[in-house]
Amino acid sequence: MKILLTTLATSVLLLGSTATFAASTVDLVVKGKIIPAACTPELSRGGVIDHGKISAKDLRPDNPTQIGNHVLTMTVDCDAPILFALHSIDNRAASSLTRELYGLGFINGDQKLGWYNLQMLNLVVNDSIVAQPIASADQGNIWYRENHWEPGIYMSAASMDDDTQPLPVEKLRLDLQVISTIARTDGLDLSNEVNIDGSATLEVKYL
């Protein structure tokens, strides 16, 4: 009987040990694809919009003041036709009033100076095909027609009769409209010179 109990106890210990070991592991999967083609994005004017010096007296205390509406030419040149999206990162996101807008920096570290928004207009694919802008909020799974380029959203080019999927593109040309606005100034300290400090990174994401 003693031998039987010892064998049973040993079996229980082994079962418990196996269960503990199984619960202490997790799988790591590293995956992806290496593609032969590559795309290079470019912006006219070196991607810089300079509003110059603006007098605080020209800004409205009770409403936002639009200080500029500029259009840059954006091109994306690829080695071959490929599916891709354009993705934006707001480098001043903490100073933005909402997630749909890009921030223009802070005054004294806590007062949000203003914002700018981006729109994609007049898309042309492969030098001759008129296209429409589409957006995806889930990294390319579902697409919809949209020309407002919000931070973090994927944007791409689609045929004029189908806004549900991107086109394979070798060359893309578009007008990137940048509208800059200063917040109402009754809550801003403008007693000293303030830098307008907007910055975003625009990158190609291969689909």
Side-chain angles (χ1 to χ4, degrees):
M1 179 63 69
K2 184 177 180 181
I3 294 175
L4 179 60
L5 288 175
T6 302
T7 304
L8 180 61
T10 303
S11 299
V12 170
L13 286 172
L14 286 173
L15 286 172
S17 176
T18 302
T20 302
F21 177 77
S24 301
T25 64
V26 65
D27 292 331
L28 169 66
V29 178
V30 180
K31 60 188 298 185
K33 293 181 180 179
I34 297 175
I35 59 174
C39 300
T40 303
E42 288 189 4
L43 285 171
S44 62
R45 304 185 201 172
V48 176
I49 292 176
D50 188 351
H51 292 289
K53 293 188 175 181
I54 300 170
S55 172
K57 294 181 179 179
D58 293 333
L59 303 174
R60 301 167 66 180
D62 55 348
N63 277 297
T65 306
Q66 183 176 311
I67 60 170
N69 185 339
H70 294 80
V71 177
L72 301 178
T73 299
M74 183 172 191
T75 58
V76 182
D77 288 318
C78 306
D79 299 332
I82 189 172
L83 291 173
F84 69 83
L86 294 170
H87 174 249
S88 64
I89 302 169
D90 184 3
N91 300 321
R92 304 292 182 266
S95 68
S96 176
L97 273 72
T98 70
R99 65 179 185 83
E100 293 85 8
L101 302 169
Y102 299 79
L104 285 177
F106 288 103
I107 301 174
N108 300 329
D110 60 355
Q111 300 171 20
K112 297 179 179 181
L113 177 60
W115 62 87
Y116 63 99
N117 64 293
L118 303 180
Q119 294 188 54
M120 294 175 60
L121 307 171
N122 305 320
L123 279 67
V124 177
V125 171
N126 301 337
D127 293 323
S128 60
I129 302 172
V130 176
Q132 62 174 322
I134 55 174
S136 174
D138 59 4
Q139 298 184 329
N141 292 311
I142 299 175
W143 295 90
Y144 54 91
R145 178 173 173 78
E146 180 61 75
N147 67 346
H148 290 272
W149 191 358
E150 299 176 9
I153 296 295
Y154 277 23
M155 300 291 292
S156 194
S159 66
M160 295 302 294
D161 57 1
D162 184 3
D163 58 8
T164 65
Q165 57 185 344
L167 286 170
V169 172
E170 184 171 359
K171 183 174 182 179
L172 173 65
R173 176 188 172 94
L174 61 94
D175 292 332
L176 186 64
Q177 185 177 51
V178 185
I179 302 175
S180 306
T181 304
I182 301 298
R184 54 187 294 171
T185 61
D186 56 359
L188 301 178
D189 179 7
L190 298 175
S191 58
N192 296 304
E193 190 171 285
V194 174
N195 290 323
I196 297 172
D197 183 31
S199 172
T201 300
L202 311 180
E203 60 181 0
V204 175
K205 292 286 190 179
Y206 302 103
L207 302 175

